[in-house]
Amino acid sequence: QVHLVESGGGVVQPGRSLRLSCAASGFSFGTYSMQWVRQAPGKGLEWVAVIWYDGGVKYYADSVKGRFTISRDNSKNTLYLQMDSLRADDTAVYYCARDGYGYGCHWYLDLWGRGTLVTVSS
Amino acid sequence: QSALTQPASVSGSPGQSITISCTGTSSDIGAYDYVSWYQQDPGKAPKLMIYDVTNRPSGVSNRFSGSKSGNTASLTISGLQGEDEADYYCSSFTTTNTYVVFGGGTKLTVL
């Protein structure tokens, strides 16, 4: 079965850092681009970042640019999101998701993890 | 305020058809056929229902269909069933630095 499992969420103080991980299984991880999407409590979905299948291309939402870094280790079938200088408005459930196209991006997400909650609070 | 505009709520009776609209601009929906739709039950991860405007992933009921005209995309659900009650989000690639935009979500109630 294909799975994405996020981990690393928790409560963190404003200004601190946190690293999320997303473990992939059941598919050829290294042939898919991957994305992070977040959802603040009671709110809608917000796109965060994308990384190409080979890690060669990365794009970020303006709201996280310069503070968050997306990366991947294809040998470990794992996606990461390094979050620095966290703010209260970064509080959300963070989902990792697979772009369904393979190799490039067609900007649709056909496989999602269950999400991990990040709470930024003093 | 979301980049794509969806109605906050729609409702319909079992067996009826409903359509959820998603209005964007010439920089997103109007520019590319990278429009997708997601269904989300409370407390669960979103599920892909439609991609590339009209395509349905395997396993998704053919009661779900997508279309696009100009800067507006639409999701139609025919033969409404109670299990369709959920939140629905549209998404599109955009030529702006945002890359991906979502709608604010539409809560579907099956009466």
Side-chain angles (χ1 to χ4, degrees), chain B:
Chain B
Q1 188 172 0
S2 302
L4 303 179
T5 301
Q6 299 180 234
S9 63
V10 298
S11 63
S13 299
Q16 287 186 330
S17 293
I18 63 96
T19 296
I20 299 172
S21 62
C22 173
T23 302
T25 70
S26 58
S27 295
D28 39 65
I29 292 177
Y32 299 94
D33 286 339
Y34 295 143
V35 177
S36 51
W37 289 90
Y38 301 90
Q39 176 191 66
Q40 186 179 35
D41 290 322
K44 298 291 185 64
K47 174 187 175 184
L48 179 68
M49 305 303 285
I50 296 288
Y51 68 97
D52 292 353
V53 180
T54 61
N55 295 326
R56 213 173 30 249
S58 62
V60 172
S61 170
N62 59 9
R63 298 185 297 105
F64 291 81
S65 62
S67 62
K68 186 184 88 167
S69 177
N71 297 336
T72 299
S74 299
L75 173 71
T76 298
I77 308 173
S78 59
L80 267 181
Q81 300 179 1
E83 65 196 46
D84 299 332
E85 191 163 284
D87 293 324
Y88 291 85
Y89 293 90
C90 60
S91 176
S92 174
F93 176 73
T94 173
T95 57
T96 69
N97 287 341
T98 310
Y99 297 102
V100 176
V101 287
F102 283 96
T106 298
K107 182 175 181 59
L108 169 62
T109 300
V110 180
L111 303 170

Side-chain angles (χ1 to χ4, degrees), chain A residues 7-21 36 67-71 79-87 90-94 116-121:
Chain A
S7 60
V11 180
V12 61
Q13 293 179 330
R16 303 298 289 266
S17 300
L18 206 60
R19 188 176 86 155
L20 305 183
S21 299
W36 287 98
R67 300 188 300 121
F68 290 11
T69 303
I70 189 172
S71 62
L79 174 72
Y80 302 100
L81 186 67
Q82 176 68 39
M83 304 185 295
D84 299 323
S85 302
L86 281 162
R87 311 186 304 221
D90 293 319
T91 295
V93 173
Y94 284 74
T116 186
L117 176 62
V118 173
T119 302
V120 184
S121 174

Side-chain angles (χ1 to χ4, degrees), chain A residues 39-113:
Chain A
Q39 187 170 34
K43 302 298 184 181
L45 302 172
E46 179 187 14
W47 181 77
V48 174
V50 62
I51 185 168
W52 248 237
Y53 66 100
D54 60 356
V57 176
K58 305 174 186 180
Y59 296 131
Y60 299 91
D62 284 344
S63 58
V64 307
K65 198 174 300 181
R67 300 188 300 121
F68 290 11
T69 303
I70 189 172
S71 62
R72 65 190 297 160
D73 186 337
N74 287 346
S75 68
K76 296 182 178 179
N77 291 339
T78 303
L79 174 72
Y80 302 100
L81 186 67
Q82 176 68 39
M83 304 185 295
D84 299 323
S85 302
L86 281 162
R87 311 186 304 221
D89 61 359
D90 293 319
T91 295
V93 173
Y94 284 74
Y95 296 101
C96 71
R98 183 182 77 177
D99 188 284
Y101 184 65
Y103 291 107
C105 268
H106 260 217
W107 307 98
Y108 65 89
L109 303 171
D110 70 337
L111 178 66
W112 295 66

